[in-house]
Amino acid sequence: NTWQEGKINVAIVLLKRMSNFTDFDVLDMDPRFNPYYTSNTDEVEKADIILLPGSKNTLSDLQSIRANGIADAIVRAYKKGKKVIGICGGYQLLGKQLYDIHHVESERERAEGLGFLDISTSFATEKKTVLSEGRELLCDTFVKGYEIHMGREERQEGTPYFLQTGDGFEGAVNCDGTVAGTYFHGIFDNGTFARAYL
């Protein structure tokens, strides 16, 4: 599907190395939403909500969306008041810098992110894989999910968190809540959160 009149249009950016397609399956079950995978700049810019999914190689996908114009389309959509949400690799893309000094993903040691969130990501040599639960702070709802990622976030002081988990805080949002990112996969499967936020 592409953009549809009378629906909440959700553009899921079709990354070349996309992972975790199941993160968005639940949106197909809600008749209010029209989710569609796309690498078309017009369809990204026209959407009401833009989702940046996980990636098997975040640095390569960052290079790709800069080259094909998707990065600029996301910026234009954001300036029009559209919401942008990143999950896992998509969250990393929304930050300011990505560091790969151990060459986990590529020979590049540093890249500029899209700059929406005051975080940076460093790729570690060990993957974090854990079931998680906590309280999402924008709408104050309980959520469950899982994390599977090599990246470790560093944040500017004062950057609002997205989630409070049992072992601390996680994710980030911008000052007005229009851009958010998290390492939680499956977050939209939490119906209370999905309805409240989307």
Side-chain angles (χ1 to χ4, degrees):
N1 292 344
T2 56
W3 190 91
Q4 289 183 20
E5 188 74 41
K7 296 273 191 175
I8 299 171
N9 287 280
V10 183
I12 304 162
V13 175
L14 188 58
L15 302 174
K16 288 185 176 180
R17 298 154 193 89
M18 182 176 170
S19 63
N20 303 88
F21 284 80
T22 56
D23 279 337
F24 313 111
D25 286 351
V26 69
L27 297 176
D28 281 320
M29 302 174 195
D30 189 324
R32 295 174 299 169
F33 298 108
N34 173 43
Y36 54 89
Y37 292 90
T38 184
S39 56
N40 179 288
T41 56
D42 290 337
E43 291 178 354
V44 167
E45 193 172 344
K46 288 196 304 184
D48 302 298
I49 300 166
I50 299 165
L51 301 180
L52 279 165
S55 170
K56 294 174 183 168
N57 191 309
T58 308
L59 288 168
S60 293
D61 276 332
L62 174 61
Q63 193 170 11
S64 293
I65 66 170
R66 287 200 186 284
N68 67 15
I70 292 293
D72 290 335
I74 295 170
V75 170
R76 290 192 298 270
Y78 164 74
K79 288 179 178 177
K80 294 176 183 175
K82 310 299 178 71
K83 287 188 175 181
V84 183
I85 305 172
I87 297 178
C88 201
Y91 170 39
Q92 296 164 353
L93 291 173
L94 293 173
K96 292 196 168 178
Q97 291 92 26
L98 296 93
Y99 299 99
D100 191 9
I101 61 171
H102 302 294
H103 303 288
V104 173
E105 289 200 351
S106 74
E107 292 304 308
R108 297 178 66 192
E109 293 192 357
R110 182 179 182 278
E112 295 291 322
L114 301 183
F116 288 104
L117 298 173
D118 283 329
I119 65 152
S120 61
T121 296
S122 296
F123 293 101
T125 54
E126 293 185 11
K127 184 174 286 187
K128 180 177 180 178
T129 307
V130 62
L131 293 173
S132 299
E133 60 182 38
R135 185 152 293 278
E136 163 281 310
L137 301 174
L138 286 174
C139 306
D140 193 30
T141 60
F142 180 77
V143 292
K144 288 184 176 181
Y146 66 95
E147 298 179 47
I148 179 167
H149 54 90
M150 305 289 283
R152 303 293 185 265
E153 68 181 37
E154 298 175 28
R155 57 199 307 112
Q156 291 290 323
E157 187 175 347
T159 301
Y161 288 97
F162 193 0
L163 299 166
Q164 182 176 9
T165 64
D167 55 0
F169 291 86
E170 189 275 336
V173 298
N174 66 347
C175 59
D176 61 5
T178 57
V179 180
T182 179
Y183 278 120
F184 261 49
H185 290 287
I187 193 165
F188 293 115
D189 293 335
N190 297 272
T192 304
F193 162 73
R195 287 189 296 272
Y197 186 73
L198 295 177

